[in-house]
Amino acid sequence: QGDWLALRPEGTAVLVRAGLQHDWFRHEQRFWYRGAMFRHERPQKGRYRQFHQIGAEVIGPQGPDVDAELILLAARLLQELGVGHLVRLKLNSLGSPASRHAHRAALLAYLRTQQLPHEALERAERNPLRLFDSKDENIRAVMAQAPCLQDYWDADSKEYFARLIALLQACGVAYDLTPQLVRGLDYYNLTVFEWVTDQLGAQDTVLAGGRYDALCALLGGAPYPGAGFAMGLERLLALMQVAHVAQSPLQAAVFVASMGEQARAMALGLGETLRTMLAEEVVMVHTGEGSFKGQMRRAERYGAKVVLLLGEEEVARQEVTIKSLQHQGKQQRVPMRELPNVLPRWLADASNLDQVALPC
């Protein structure tokens, strides 16, 4: 139809452009985001034209401690998602712009003496570092003998990376120093990192990021420093399946069961109240038809600690029945207004009901 579409390939530049437009960066900012991304090139196995990412970005503060903070956050995320034992951290520094400029000249001089495909030479003229990221075995063999970026780091770049390494070691973070790691986007400087796995074939990168101190200026704004990372959800889910954690069931602390139209309306409102009151707990509310017996089975399926029962009698008396699923036979009917005082005690005692007697 002749229409033009703009589809975002990644989230960092999008967030930076929005922040510059709306003047978000006058003070230190930390963001997270998730959403659909798109790629134009022909997808390889394990990659998709539309994919989804979760990312985190820090704009404003600068220093290796910020980079370490992001790496520690990413490590904890992967660990808590159950895949930490299947990934390893690859770490490198691209150095300062001045050190990269000196390395670029030496690298181009070397590549022009090699028998490289025309397409690879054109790519090298634009950004020779990108050839370090090639999957072509012949190009990888050439790059293995290429001048090393670390040999061109200036004193500031060396000191920055040494401070980062010291911070990670102090926090017990294991890593592989990887001089060939460059990242696929051209705006990175200094720290770059990737978590990779050997469980997903050629598409081995699960989470990646780095520092991009020139991106704000490149997009027309003030030179705010930045750093961040992103992880692909499809690849993460595939790795979670390998680790047998993808089917982890949702666990609810409180399940609200109801019978009758008035009770169902009250249950919805009660659920919202409890979600505000119990911010750290999961509250589920049954909707639609269903017997109390069936609703109890559903509550058991979701591992609820307690069930709140609302029937015609409870509605008429403005009461609620609290029933334990951890200890059969324990239940209590209380006035609705007293529930905020009574329910937390039931939740706190749910794991010790054999030792703690609750009123019946």
Side-chain angles (χ1 to χ4, degrees):
Q1 301 294 324
D3 294 334
W4 288 84
L5 299 175
L7 303 177
R8 59 186 180 186
E10 51 95 20
T12 302
V14 176
L15 184 145
V16 167
R17 187 188 65 175
L20 293 173
Q21 179 180 344
H22 297 288
D23 200 22
W24 292 341
F25 303 151
R26 287 185 179 273
H27 304 286
E28 174 182 318
Q29 298 285 357
R30 283 169 167 78
F31 302 91
W32 77 275
Y33 57 84
R34 65 180 178 186
M37 310 293 169
F38 302 85
R39 57 172 50 91
H40 179 267
E41 70 270 19
R42 181 179 177 183
Q44 300 169 331
K45 183 179 180 181
R47 308 179 82 181
Y48 306 92
R49 288 212 183 275
Q50 177 176 334
F51 57 101
H52 300 79
Q53 285 187 343
I54 290 179
E57 314 286 349
V58 179
I59 309 292
Q62 186 177 29
D65 55 330
V66 178
D67 304 355
E69 176 189 23
L70 285 164
I71 290 171
L72 289 169
L73 172 61
R76 183 167 292 276
L77 280 173
L78 293 169
Q79 193 66 40
E80 293 192 1
L81 288 169
V83 298
H85 63 295
L86 297 179
V87 296
R88 71 182 194 278
L89 172 62
K90 295 168 66 174
L91 186 67
N92 192 26
S93 172
L94 300 181
S96 67
S99 60
R100 277 207 317 282
H101 182 76
H103 175 250
R104 174 190 171 92
L107 183 55
L108 275 174
Y110 165 77
L111 292 174
R112 287 167 182 158
T113 67
Q114 304 301 307
Q115 300 296 318
L116 290 174
H118 178 69
E119 181 181 347
L121 278 175
E122 285 188 337
R123 189 181 182 192
E125 294 293 336
R126 293 193 299 271
N127 183 358
L129 284 178
R130 296 288 293 275
L131 293 192
F132 282 114
D133 203 31
S134 175
K135 304 298 183 185
D136 186 295
E137 291 300 326
N138 293 325
I139 295 177
R140 291 169 72 94
V142 169
M143 298 309 292
Q145 304 301 318
C148 182
L149 177 57
Q150 290 180 331
D151 296 335
Y152 293 82
W153 286 349
D154 54 30
D156 288 343
S157 298
K158 291 178 182 179
E159 180 190 6
Y160 191 102
F161 197 57
R163 289 167 60 196
L164 174 62
I165 293 297
L167 288 168
L168 295 180
Q169 289 177 341
C171 294
V173 177
Y175 56 86
D176 295 339
L177 291 180
T178 312
Q180 294 77 27
L181 177 62
V182 296
R183 300 291 294 115
L185 298 165
D186 298 340
Y187 50 66
Y188 285 100
N189 67 292
L190 292 174
T191 307
V192 289
F193 56 88
E194 291 184 351
W195 262 270
V196 299
T197 181
D198 59 5
Q199 301 292 313
L200 300 178
Q203 305 307 319
D204 61 350
T205 302
V206 178
L207 183 153
R211 176 157 287 282
Y212 47 86
D213 293 331
L215 182 56
C216 287
L218 184 65
L219 293 179
Y224 301 110
F229 66 78
M231 55 181 168
L233 292 187
E234 286 81 2
R235 206 166 294 177
L236 177 64
L237 289 172
L239 191 59
M240 290 174 72
Q241 288 179 334
V242 172
H244 304 293
V245 296
Q247 302 300 317
S248 297
L250 175 68
Q251 285 197 313
V254 180
F255 188 96
V256 183
S258 59
M259 185 70 68
E261 187 172 346
Q262 285 185 302
R264 285 199 295 271
M266 183 179 288
L268 287 173
L270 178 59
E272 290 302 297
T273 299
L274 293 176
R275 290 179 183 118
T276 301
M277 185 179 82
L278 306 171
E280 300 300 320
E281 303 283 7
V282 175
V283 177
M284 296 188 67
V285 178
H286 177 81
T287 55
E289 302 292 339
S291 66
F292 271 136
K293 186 176 180 180
Q295 293 179 55
M296 292 295 290
R297 285 198 299 267
R298 186 180 177 207
E300 291 173 354
R301 196 161 60 245
Y302 285 109
K305 297 176 183 177
V306 298
V307 176
L308 302 183
L309 300 170
L310 289 172
E312 292 181 358
E313 188 172 342
E314 282 86 357
V315 171
R317 294 173 176 268
Q318 287 295 294
E319 294 177 339
V320 60
T321 297
I322 309 175
K323 183 177 179 64
S324 172
L325 289 185
Q326 306 291 321
H327 191 157
Q328 294 298 321
K330 295 293 185 181
Q331 67 179 53
Q332 177 185 11
R333 184 180 290 185
V334 299
M336 192 71 72
R337 65 179 180 276
E338 294 182 14
L339 187 62
N341 298 321
V342 177
L343 181 59
R345 187 171 74 247
W346 278 72
L347 292 174
D349 293 343
S351 59
N352 295 314
L353 285 178
D354 288 332
Q355 290 77 36
V356 180
L358 296 179
C360 296

